């Protein structure tokens, strides 16, 4: 057994120093700015911050209130289709319904169409991770090692493309808009592409490399709840198919709340709709495919414009107003405390 004394420094040896190096950083000699706070500086900061937040908040609220928006709930109006869809054996039967509404004033500028879902929770952890990002990049990967289970392969071993619970539950109602102009019915032209982010189309989602999409997805099958394979999502535009389909990309961006809306279409500004949507009678014709009754959900169609601050969401403006009000009130409280203490100090100095 070795003696512990062998590890001690011998006579004549220098003991290692534990002092920090003699540098400006380690000896805390770097130049520093230490503000000397006084009552004028503190009160000025509170009142300036309060005024700024209140001004920005009021501007944001006024901007959000200027958005023109029409929201239509078609859950009950398409009740017959809803009952049909609740039975899974009717998945291949088509069901259509119509919803009439009136626009009293012209909706000028760009008009966006959204679909909204209520009571649909996308923030569950197992749902959020149920996807394969490598597969969505067009790579040939083994999805059995991904988090897509149980939506990975069929019983015969055929892999699903795309895999996962998010893709399988994709919103698949088809919504068309018609304008009842005098004695004729005009279909409002809607844009299917250009609704997703550039980074999604060019970075996060890519199709497998092949001379055509059908051969690229050979040996795979659509998810169980889909009616079409992934390479036939848009039969009118071949470039909007596969993993780079706009509707698919937008759906794969899950929401943090149970009530949300996703961009569906944009009104193409041509002919009668060059300036937007004119006032008059309109009709939504819906191909009902997405059931919501079992989870007590609701479905909406929203027509909305946008402004420089975004859509009709006043939350950010309200947050600024609340912050500005709190800062201003705190400034008045500090002012009152300062005046009270100064009076006491003056009184004692006179004594």
């Amino acid at each position: 057994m070795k003696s512990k004394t062998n590890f001690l420094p011998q006579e004549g040896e220098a003991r290692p120093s534990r002092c920090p190096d003699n540098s400006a950083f380690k000896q805390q000699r770097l130049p520093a700015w230490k503000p000397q706070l006084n009552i004028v500086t503190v009160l000025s900061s509170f009142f300036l911050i309060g005024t700024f937040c209140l001004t920005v908040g009021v501007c944001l609220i006024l901007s959000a209130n200027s958005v023109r928006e029409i929201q239509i709930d078609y859950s009950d109006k398409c009740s017959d289709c809803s009952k049909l869809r609740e039975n899974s054996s009717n998945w291949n039967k088509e069901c259509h319904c119509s919803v009439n509404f009136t626009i009293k004033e012209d909706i000028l500028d760009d008009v966006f169409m959204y679909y909204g879902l209520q009571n649909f929770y996308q923030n569950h952890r197992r749902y959020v991770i149920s996807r394969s990002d490598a597969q969505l990049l067009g790579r040939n990967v083994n999805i059995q090692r991904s988090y897509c289970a149980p939506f990975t392969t069929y019983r015969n071993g055929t892999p699903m493309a795309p895999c996962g619970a998010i893709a399988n539950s994709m919103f698949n109602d088809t919504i068309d808009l018609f304008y009842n102009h005098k004695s004729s019915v005009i279909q409002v032209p809607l844009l299917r592409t250009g609704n997703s982010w550039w980074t999604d189309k060019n970075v996060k989602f890519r199709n497998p490399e092949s001379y055509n999409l059908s051969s690229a997805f050979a040996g795979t099958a659509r998810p169980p709840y889909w009616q079409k394979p992934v390479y036939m999502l848009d039969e009118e535009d071949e470039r909007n198919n596969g993993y780079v389909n706009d509707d698919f990309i937008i759906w794969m961006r899950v929401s943090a709340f149970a009530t949300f809306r996703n961009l569906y279409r944009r009104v193409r500004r041509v002919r009668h709709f060059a300036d937007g949507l004119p006032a008059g009678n309109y009709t939504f014709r819906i191909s009902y495919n997405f059931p919501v009754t079992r989870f007590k959900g609701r479905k909406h169609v929203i027509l909305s414009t946008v402004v420089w601050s975004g859509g009709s969401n006043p939350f950010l403006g309200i947050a600024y107003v609340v912050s500005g009000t709190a800062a201003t009130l705190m400034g008045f409280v500090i002012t009152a405390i300062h005046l009270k203490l100064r009076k006491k100090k003056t009184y004692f100095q006179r004594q």
Side-chain angles (χ1 to χ4, degrees):
M1 183 175 179
K2 295 184 178 179
S3 175
K4 296 182 179 179
T5 56
N6 295 336
F7 296 97
L8 296 176
Q10 302 296 325
E11 294 183 4
E13 293 184 2
R15 185 182 297 270
S17 175
R18 300 179 62 183
C19 295
D21 295 337
N22 188 20
S23 62
F25 176 76
K26 292 186 176 182
Q27 296 298 332
Q28 300 183 11
R29 294 196 300 266
L30 291 174
W33 178 66
K34 299 179 181 179
Q36 299 297 327
L37 298 178
N38 53 42
I39 189 63
V40 177
T41 305
V42 172
L43 291 179
S44 299
S45 301
F46 273 101
F47 285 120
L48 286 175
I49 293 173
T51 303
F52 173 78
C53 290
L54 285 172
T55 303
V56 174
V58 171
C59 292
L60 289 174
I61 292 175
L62 293 176
S63 176
N65 291 336
S66 66
V67 173
R68 294 287 308 279
E69 181 174 297
I70 297 175
Q71 180 170 317
I72 297 174
D73 188 329
Y74 65 94
S75 304
D76 296 332
K77 297 179 180 179
C78 298
S79 57
D80 294 337
C81 291
S82 178
K83 294 178 182 178
L84 180 71
R85 283 288 171 258
E86 290 306 318
N87 189 348
S88 59
S89 62
N90 298 325
W91 68 271
N92 59 344
K93 296 180 181 179
E94 294 185 359
C95 189
H96 302 272
C97 59
S98 299
V99 180
N100 300 320
F101 65 99
T102 302
I103 297 179
K104 298 181 179 180
E105 298 180 359
D106 294 348
I107 302 181
L108 303 178
D109 212 344
D110 294 328
V111 182
F112 299 82
M113 180 189 294
Y114 301 83
Y115 62 85
L117 290 177
Q118 183 178 342
N119 207 36
F120 188 94
Y121 289 85
Q122 290 187 311
N123 55 4
H124 193 279
R125 179 179 177 274
R126 291 190 64 185
Y127 182 88
V128 171
I129 65 175
S130 183
R131 58 189 292 166
S132 173
D133 291 321
Q135 184 193 46
L136 298 177
L137 283 172
R139 299 173 184 171
N140 186 12
V141 295
N142 183 8
I143 58 176
Q144 293 284 4
R145 299 180 180 178
S146 66
Y147 294 101
C148 289
F151 303 101
T152 52
T153 60
Y154 287 92
R155 292 182 179 179
N156 59 2
T158 304
M160 299 180 189
C163 70
I166 305 176
N168 184 58
S169 61
M170 177 180 169
F171 183 85
N172 57 349
D173 282 1
T174 302
I175 306 172
D176 294 316
L177 180 60
F178 293 86
Y179 174 44
N180 304 318
H181 181 61
K182 297 179 180 178
S183 59
S184 60
V185 178
I186 304 172
Q187 184 172 4
V188 179
L190 302 174
L191 295 173
R192 293 170 172 263
T193 58
N195 301 324
S196 59
W197 299 343
W198 183 91
T199 52
D200 289 336
K201 279 273 191 178
N202 296 274
V203 179
K204 297 176 65 176
F205 295 85
R206 294 177 185 174
N207 284 325
E209 296 183 0
S210 182
Y211 62 92
N212 60 38
L213 278 182
S214 60
S215 62
F217 289 97
T220 64
R222 58 178 174 79
Y225 292 169
W226 284 28
Q227 297 176 339
K228 301 177 182 179
V230 67
Y231 54 86
M232 294 181 61
L233 291 178
D234 190 348
E235 298 179 356
E236 299 178 2
D237 188 355
E238 295 182 355
R239 297 171 298 178
N240 190 36
N241 272 315
Y243 297 146
V244 296
N245 176 265
D246 276 48
D247 293 338
F248 173 71
I249 289 175
I250 292 173
W251 178 258
M252 294 299 291
R253 192 185 308 135
V254 296
S255 173
F257 301 99
T259 299
F260 61 93
R261 63 176 64 178
N262 284 336
L263 181 59
Y264 182 67
R265 297 287 184 267
R266 291 177 295 127
V267 174
R268 186 179 181 185
R269 298 176 64 177
V270 294
R271 299 179 183 177
H272 296 85
F273 314 101
D275 298 325
L277 291 179
N281 298 320
Y282 289 82
T283 302
F284 280 125
R285 293 184 184 176
I286 302 166
S287 177
Y288 199 105
N289 298 306
F290 195 86
V292 295
T293 306
R294 291 195 175 181
F295 58 86
K296 299 179 181 179
R298 310 287 297 182
K299 293 194 291 188
H300 307 83
V301 185
I302 303 104
L303 294 174
S304 177
T305 59
V306 295
V307 291
W308 61 271
S309 60
S312 61
N313 188 355
F315 174 78
L316 187 60
I318 294 174
Y320 268 101
V321 170
V322 171
S323 301
T325 303
T328 304
L329 290 177
M330 186 59 65
F332 283 115
V333 170
I334 295 175
T335 302
I337 294 174
H338 171 69
L339 294 176
K340 185 177 181 180
L341 293 177
R342 189 172 64 176
K343 288 182 180 180
K344 287 185 177 180
K345 183 178 180 180
T346 304
Y347 173 78
F348 284 114
Q349 287 177 349
R350 289 177 180 178
Q351 296 297 324

